[in-house]
Amino acid sequence: MSGKRTFTMIKPDAVESGNIGNILQMISNAGFSIKAMKFTQLSEERAKAFYAVHAERPFYGELVDYMSSGPIVAAILEKDNAVEDFRTLIGSTDPAEAAEGTIRKKYAESKGRNAVHGSDSDENAQIEGEFHFDANEVI
Ligand code: DAT
Ligand code: MG
């Protein structure tokens, strides 16, 4: 049985391009409800920790610099089959490969600056949500 919650970030490129509202509208239209949300900025240390699973990848330094370069919106979302359905809504990592109508197809600039994060498993949704929110900040 798949879980009901996932974790997302609207990344610095999408905040900078003025698309917070458009992306939240797409998330709402797709049937997700917001259980926690904050406008914040990751320090370099926090970005390193969040993406520690990618520490050995060649793009890690670039990813950490980018994700700490400007404000983000972090949120916990709820819907049946949340993790899988949210990955479908955001589309492929590289917007050039993302399906029509997906958030990344519409708003991402590149594979690195790709507008949104979506958790890849129920376990990571839990871990990533707890990284950003204390229990009393979650509905
Ligand atoms: P996703 O965000 O689709 O789960 P991922 O977990 O493989 O993708 O990678 C995490 C982030 O790292 C991704 O959103 C953008 C960045 N990234 C991945 N592959 C990259 C690459 N080849 N070049 C630059 N950035 C990359
Ligand atoms: Mg991922």
Side-chain angles (χ1 to χ4, degrees):
M1 176 69 184
S2 298
K4 292 173 73 77
R5 292 195 175 195
T6 191
F7 171 78
T8 187
M9 294 180 287
I10 300 176
K11 296 186 179 183
D13 63 296
V15 173
E16 193 181 335
S17 59
N19 286 310
I20 294 174
N22 290 327
I23 290 170
L24 290 178
Q25 187 68 63
M26 286 183 72
I27 290 171
S28 176
N29 289 349
F32 292 89
S33 59
I34 296 167
K35 294 293 157 183
M37 186 162 67
K38 69 172 71 160
F39 185 72
T40 186
Q41 184 162 349
L42 290 170
S43 65
E44 185 180 339
E45 285 312 306
R46 296 230 336 134
K48 277 184 182 163
F50 185 87
Y51 283 109
V53 64
H54 294 306
E56 305 307 319
R57 309 277 284 275
F59 56 82
Y60 181 60
E62 181 189 329
L63 175 61
V64 167
D65 286 350
Y66 161 61
M67 286 301 298
S68 57
S69 70
I72 61 165
V73 175
I76 294 172
L77 304 174
E78 186 170 275
K79 181 186 181 297
D80 286 344
N81 203 36
V83 165
E84 187 183 347
D85 287 1
F86 194 72
R87 296 288 307 196
T88 301
L89 178 65
I90 69 178
S92 301
T93 307
D94 185 345
E97 294 167 12
E100 286 300 331
T102 59
I103 292 174
R104 282 169 165 168
K105 182 70 174 186
K106 287 171 90 93
Y107 298 117
E109 293 178 11
S110 64
K111 191 169 188 177
R113 297 166 61 87
N114 62 0
V116 281
H117 170 82
S119 304
D120 62 8
S121 66
D122 291 343
E123 184 189 4
N124 284 334
Q126 178 79 23
I127 291 167
E128 292 170 359
E130 288 174 357
F131 183 92
H132 284 268
F133 296 100
D134 294 335
N136 66 359
E137 295 177 300
V138 183
I139 303 300

